[in-house]
Amino acid sequence: SWPVKKRGGSLVEVSLDIGQIVAGGQSAPVCELELELLAGHPSALFEVAQQIARSLAALPLNISKSERGYALLQGSLMRPLRAKPPALTGSMSLPVAAQSVLREMFCQFTTNLNLLRDSDDPEVLHQARVGWRRFKSALRLFKPELAAATLPSWQALGTLMTFVGELRDLDVARLETLPRFAAAYTDESVQRQARWQALLAAMDEAAALKRRSIGHALEVPAVGSALLAITQWLEELPAKNPSADAGAGQKNALRHWARARIARLHQKMEQALKDAAHPESLHRARLLAKRLRYGIEALRPVLRQRQARGWLKQATRLQTDIGLTRDVHQAGVLASQMEVDTGLAEFLRGLAVGQAAPR
C-alpha cells in the first residue's frame, strides 16, 4: 500500500492486491489496484486513478473480492451480467433517477468487458454490447434534462466497440442464423455440405481473430481512462445538474416526465412504421423500437403499467421481426467477405430478400 497526498489535503491509499480467491475447491486470480479515500474530496480518487490509467491498462471493476468469492462458490463468477433495471420511485429527482438508471447500465457494460478478458462465451460479448447500447440509449433519453455538455468523450472506445460489433455479427451468423438454413442449402448434397462447412470454418477463424483484437484493444490505457472518466461523471451527476432538480419538489414529477418521454418515443416509432415500405423508414422504426424497449424497461416502475406492457410487447416484436431480416442479410454479407462460395452467398442473399418481402 502507498499513501498518495493531493493538493488541498486529500489523502488516497493505493493498494496493490495480488493473489487468488479460493472457494469450493476452485480459485480465481486477483491482480488489482484498490483506491481508498482516507481524507478529502472524492474527486481525488479519480485524479489518482487517471494518473495510473494514463500508462497502465486498468478497467473499473464493480464487484468486490468478497462478492467474487461467493460467486466462485456458487459457480457464477464468469456468468454474463444481464440487465437489472433499478428501483425507481415517483419521488426521485430527475438527476438521481438518471444516475440510478445509467449506473446500472454502465455496470452491465464494464462488468462484461472485464469478463471478456478471460471468457470466450458469446453471451458475455452480447451482454457487453447490450449494456453499452442501453447506456447510450438512456443518455439520449435523459439528455434534454441533464448537462450533456459535461459528458466526457468516449472516442477512445471506438476501436474496441467496432471490434465488439463485428464479432457479434459473426457470432449471430455462425451460431444463430446459419444453423436455421443449413438443411435447406445442403439438401443431402455432399458438395454443398462441404461448402457449408468451409463457410462455418472461415467464420470461426474470423471470430477467433476478432476476439484476439478485442483482447488487444482492452490493453490500450486510453480505454480504461475513458471508462474512469464516465464513472466519475456518473458519480457527480446530481451535483452538477441542480437546475434539473427544480421539479423534484413537485409530486410525481418523475412520473410525468417519464410518461411523456416514452409516449413521444412510441409516437416516433408509429410514424416511422407508416412508411415501412422504404428500407430507411423500416430501419428507423427498428432503432426506435429498440430505444422504446430500453426506455420502458428502465423506467417501468414510474410508467402506466398496462400501457407499458402493451408498448413493450409491440416494440419487442417489431425489433425481433425486423432484426431477423437484418441478421439474414448480414450473414450473406459476411459470406461474401469469406470468399468461400459465390453460390452460397447468393443463396443467403435470396433468403434476405424473401425475409424482407411483404407478407
Side-chain angles (χ1 to χ4, degrees):
S1 295
W2 301 267
V4 179
K5 295 181 180 179
K6 302 295 293 181
R7 290 179 183 177
S10 294
L11 179 62
V12 176
E13 183 181 71
V14 180
S15 298
L16 174 61
D17 294 337
I18 298 178
Q20 59 181 346
I21 299 170
V22 180
Q26 301 184 70
S27 64
V30 173
C31 182
E32 63 186 40
L33 286 168
E34 183 176 325
L35 276 62
E36 181 180 355
L37 184 67
L38 301 180
H41 196 273
S43 62
L45 283 172
F46 290 100
E47 289 176 14
V48 175
Q50 284 289 6
Q51 283 181 289
I52 296 169
R54 290 190 191 105
S55 57
L56 182 69
L59 302 183
L61 190 61
N62 299 292
I63 180 171
S64 69
K65 287 183 284 294
S66 62
E67 289 172 325
R68 274 175 278 168
Y70 286 115
L72 186 64
L73 187 63
Q74 297 164 0
S76 60
L77 183 60
M78 298 303 293
R79 287 180 189 168
L81 180 64
R82 291 173 169 79
K84 296 180 180 178
L88 301 180
T89 64
S91 61
M92 278 184 175
S93 69
L94 190 56
V96 171
Q99 183 186 55
S100 180
V101 168
L102 291 167
R103 264 180 178 169
E104 181 276 326
M105 295 170 172
F106 194 63
C107 176
Q108 182 191 12
F109 173 54
T110 56
T111 297
N112 287 298
L113 272 189
N114 273 285
L115 290 177
L116 275 178
R117 286 176 153 176
D118 303 300
S119 175
D120 291 338
D121 184 354
E123 188 61 20
V124 170
L125 178 96
H126 177 48
Q127 292 302 322
R129 193 177 186 218
V130 168
W132 182 240
R133 287 185 164 187
R134 292 176 67 231
F135 178 74
K136 291 199 298 180
S137 180
L139 276 175
R140 191 168 183 173
L141 188 70
F142 286 104
K143 182 178 179 180
E145 314 302 329
L146 303 177
T150 64
L151 181 67
S153 170
W154 57 56
Q155 185 176 358
L157 304 179
T159 299
L160 169 65
M161 296 315 298
T162 295
F163 290 153
V164 167
E166 290 171 347
L167 179 54
R168 177 57 184 167
D169 284 342
L170 283 164
D171 284 347
V172 170
R174 66 195 182 95
L175 301 175
E176 299 176 20
T177 306
L178 291 179
R180 298 204 310 268
F181 303 108
Y185 177 76
T186 57
D187 194 26
E188 300 183 0
S189 166
V190 175
Q191 290 181 330
R192 286 194 168 199
Q193 287 176 359
R195 293 170 191 161
W196 192 265
Q197 290 304 317
L199 173 61
L200 292 179
M203 285 193 174
D204 287 345
E205 184 178 348
L209 180 62
K210 199 65 65 177
R211 195 172 293 280
R212 288 196 292 273
S213 297
I214 290 173
H216 293 316
L218 287 170
E219 295 302 319
V220 175
V223 169
S225 180
L227 296 176
L228 279 170
I230 297 173
T231 302
Q232 182 174 7
W233 179 81
L234 280 172
E235 293 305 307
E236 298 172 350
L237 192 59
K240 289 194 172 182
N241 289 274
S243 60
D245 270 324
Q250 301 174 12
K251 187 177 180 180
N252 294 324
L254 177 61
R255 295 183 191 276
H256 295 318
W257 174 86
R259 291 170 182 177
R261 290 292 287 160
I262 295 300
R264 178 63 177 153
L265 267 178
H266 182 260
Q267 183 182 32
K268 287 182 177 181
M269 185 186 75
E270 291 282 0
Q271 188 63 38
L273 283 174
K274 290 180 179 179
D275 197 20
H278 293 82
E280 297 83 2
S281 295
L282 197 61
H283 178 64
R284 174 172 166 75
R286 176 175 174 265
L287 294 179
L288 286 167
K290 187 178 296 186
R291 287 174 55 197
L292 179 61
R293 181 168 68 85
Y294 290 157
I296 291 174
E297 289 171 347
L299 300 173
R300 195 159 186 170
V302 293
L303 299 175
R304 295 184 179 92
Q305 295 306 301
R306 184 175 179 180
Q307 185 181 68
R309 281 194 301 271
W311 287 358
L312 181 60
K313 184 177 180 180
Q314 179 190 12
T316 302
R317 184 175 61 249
L318 177 63
Q319 184 186 344
T320 300
D321 290 346
I322 302 176
L324 287 174
T325 301
R326 186 264 180 194
D327 291 343
V328 174
H329 170 75
Q330 187 63 29
V333 171
L334 291 171
S336 299
Q337 295 172 353
M338 299 293 112
E339 298 181 353
V340 176
D341 181 79
T342 55
L344 203 163
E346 290 298 327
F347 167 77
L348 293 170
R349 218 173 348 254
L351 282 176
V353 172
Q355 290 273 335
R359 291 170 173 80

